[in-house]
């Protein structure tokens, strides 16, 4: 008989460091609403968390792992029980839900589709409860290391949740780890233990910050699956990425923001906006390098992903380039007024003004995560992004709307260099890019 040797409990106190979108499939408040329970409390289902964890560990449902498996008549139950993640819904920690608007653009940058969606804003906090059961015949060290790898995957951004994950959504950080363990000699303590108690500090959990937990428990660090590139930039003028859902009495046009814990509106640049401008520049650079037609489309889809591709034998592929959402600091919000235009005959409307809330100046950071594939194609992508960054620094790449009047232009000093999460030789990146281009010519 396979006996239980030990039970370990973890409560991960998490905080969103980017927006989150987990859809419930309904369209009451938007074209795509976030997940709520019957009482209106925001949450992420435990099944979604488990799916993200299994995918990170690299195991399909028919492969043995800590998450269990099923292969025909073979299989066993998961050794890890994962709760739903409920976000705090009281006081200052009340999560904020906003509407985000999106558009689909064709190759001529003409809007082909418009939609809106609910998101949970950056800064929301919640708890993930995990219960790990260690059986007599289990490999305790392998099970716990898999769990520790998951914790590190959350912290370094390898594990992201919900949709739009490659465009800056779904990142979390672990602030504190509450943990407790029980074996056959602590049976009565286990009986009195309340793992889902709201006031965790008054329970028998041991409390550690994530950094202290990593240091105090002799955890083997896991290598991240992504190369991180980041470049600080300055907004040279204004920026206008429209929030379409302005309420009556508000400005006709307001740049997209999120509200921080102090109630201040912070301007942001969505990863999807960066992606549209960067992908367009990559396409232009490939054309200048002599790659046209299907070859260029193949590179773009391979790097930036695709869905419902018209190309033969393709269905969908996730982007190898994750573009983070950028916040703009030290920026000034200025109201702008001008005459309203009649869109039918291009004449001005008598006595009518068009109002806009735009942001001018400020500092931001453009951040990429490149998936480190075994073929090291990510080095070629890094080589291309270095060219794109040079275009951005020179003002050749504009982001958002009203670019024809100077909006969305960034710059960086000549001494500003790209930062990497690990040691990278930029010449090697350029060589990999050159070799790739030669194969397509």
């Amino acid at each position: 008989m396979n006996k239980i040797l030990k039970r370990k409990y973890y409560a991960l106190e998490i905080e969103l460091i980017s927006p989150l979108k987990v859809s419930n499939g309904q369209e009451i408040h938007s074209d795509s609403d976030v997940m709520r329970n019957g009482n209106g409390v925001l949450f992420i289902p435990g099944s979604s968390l488990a799916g993200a964890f299994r995918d990170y560990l690299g195991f399909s449902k028919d492969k043995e792992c800590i998450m269990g498996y099923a292969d025909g008549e073979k299989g066993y139950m998961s050794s890890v029980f994962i709760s739903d993640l409920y976000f705090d819904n009281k006081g200052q920690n009340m999560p904020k839900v906003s509407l985000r608007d999106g558009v689909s653009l064709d190759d001529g940058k003409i809007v082909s589709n418009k939609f809106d969606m609910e998101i949970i804003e950056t800064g929301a906090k919640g708890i993930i409860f995990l219960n790990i059961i260690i059986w007599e015949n289990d490999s305790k060290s392998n099970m716990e290391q898999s769990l520790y790898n998951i914790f590190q995957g959350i912290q370094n951004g390898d594990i992201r949740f919900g949709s739009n994950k490659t465009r800056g959504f779904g990142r979390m950080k672990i602030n504190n780890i509450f943990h407790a363990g029980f074996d056959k000699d602590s049976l009565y303590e286990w009986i009195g233990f309340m793992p889902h108690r709201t006031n965790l500090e008054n329970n028998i959990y041991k409390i550690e910050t994530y950094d202290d937990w990593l240091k105090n428990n002799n955890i083997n660090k896991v290598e991240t699956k992504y190369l991180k590139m980041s470049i600080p930039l300055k907004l040279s003028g204004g920026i206008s990425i429209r929030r379409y859902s302005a309420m009556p009495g508000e400005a006709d046009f307001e740049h997209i923001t999120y509200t921080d814990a102090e109630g201040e509106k912070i301007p942001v640049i969505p990863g999807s906006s960066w992606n549209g401008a960067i992908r367009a520049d990559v396409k232009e650079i490939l054309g200048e390098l002599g790659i046209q037609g299907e070859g260029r489309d193949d590179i773009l889809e391979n790097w930036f992903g695709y869905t419902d591709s018209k190309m033969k034998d393709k269905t969908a592929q996730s982007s190898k380039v994750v573009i983070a959402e950028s916040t703009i600091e030290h920026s000034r919000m200025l109201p702008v007024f001008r005459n309203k235009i009649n869109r039918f005959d291009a004449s001005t409307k008598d006595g009518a003004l068009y109002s806009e809330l735009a942001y001018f100046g400020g500092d931001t950071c453009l951040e990429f995560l490149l998936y480190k594939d075994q073929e090291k194609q990510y080095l070629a992508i890094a080589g291309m992004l270095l060219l794109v960054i040079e275009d951005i620094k020179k003002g050749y790449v504009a982001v958002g709307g009203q670019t024809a009047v100077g909006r969305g232009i960034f710059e960086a000093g000549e001494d500003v260099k790209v930062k990497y999460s690990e040691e990278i030789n930029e010449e090697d990146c350029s060589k990999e890019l050159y070799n790739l281009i030669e194969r397509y010519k």
Side-chain angles (χ1 to χ4, degrees), residues 5 62 101 105 124-125 145 160 195 266 363 373 378 394 397 414 441:
L5 293 182
D62 59 352
D101 299 282
L105 303 178
K125 297 179 180 179
Q145 186 60 50
R160 300 176 300 280
I266 307 298
D363 304 304
D373 57 313
Y378 70 95
K394 292 180 172 64
V397 177
E414 291 299 323
K441 281 188 176 180

Side-chain angles (χ1 to χ4, degrees), residues 134-177:
I134 300 172
W135 300 84
E136 190 174 39
N137 297 330
D138 288 337
S139 171
K140 175 177 176 293
S141 60
N142 289 341
M143 289 180 63
E144 292 193 312
Q145 186 60 50
S146 293
L147 199 64
Y148 299 159
N149 290 352
I150 289 172
F151 294 175
Q152 294 180 73
I154 295 173
Q155 198 73 358
N156 62 30
D158 283 4
I159 301 178
R160 300 176 300 280
F161 303 91
S163 58
N164 291 21
K165 293 189 291 287
T166 62
R167 299 297 173 254
F169 280 23
R171 289 191 63 176
M172 302 177 181
K173 68 175 181 178
I174 302 173
N175 290 329
N176 294 299
I177 296 180

Side-chain angles (χ1 to χ4, degrees), residues 43-63:
F43 77 105
I44 304 176
S47 57
S48 297
L49 300 174
F53 296 161
R54 178 186 285 274
D55 181 67
Y56 171 74
L57 294 175
F59 294 101
S60 59
K61 292 183 179 180
D62 59 352
K63 300 298 180 183

Side-chain angles (χ1 to χ4, degrees), residues 311-377:
M311 300 182 70
K312 187 178 179 180
D313 300 327
K314 290 186 177 180
T315 54
Q317 177 179 298
S318 180
S319 174
K320 292 182 171 66
V321 183
V322 178
I323 306 178
E325 178 161 295
S326 303
T327 59
I328 307 176
E329 299 178 348
H330 315 122
S331 185
R332 294 183 61 194
M333 188 274 289
L334 294 175
V336 179
F337 300 94
R338 60 180 182 269
N339 291 331
K340 272 193 175 180
I341 303 298
N342 188 320
R343 52 183 184 159
F344 296 104
D345 60 10
S347 64
T348 59
K349 293 184 178 181
D350 291 340
L353 290 177
Y354 180 88
S355 60
E356 175 187 357
L357 294 178
Y359 286 82
F360 293 81
D363 304 304
T364 191
C365 182
L366 175 57
E367 179 183 294
F368 304 101
L369 294 177
L370 309 184
Y371 180 73
K372 296 193 290 187
D373 57 313
Q374 293 182 347
E375 296 78 17
K376 294 190 175 181
Q377 188 177 158

Side-chain angles (χ1 to χ4, degrees), residues 216-234:
N216 297 336
N217 293 276
N218 195 27
I219 305 300
N220 295 325
K221 288 191 176 182
V222 62
E223 182 181 358
T224 178
K225 296 184 178 182
Y226 291 85
L227 168 69
K228 180 179 175 180
M229 299 174 62
S230 58
I231 178 75
L233 298 169
K234 289 184 177 296

Side-chain angles (χ1 to χ4, degrees), residues 60 66 192 224 226 259 271 279 293-294 348 358 377 380 387 408 428 438:
S60 59
I66 189 175
T224 178
Y226 291 85
T259 306
R279 179 171 177 148
E294 291 187 2
T348 59
Q377 188 177 158
L387 299 179
D428 290 342
E438 287 300 305

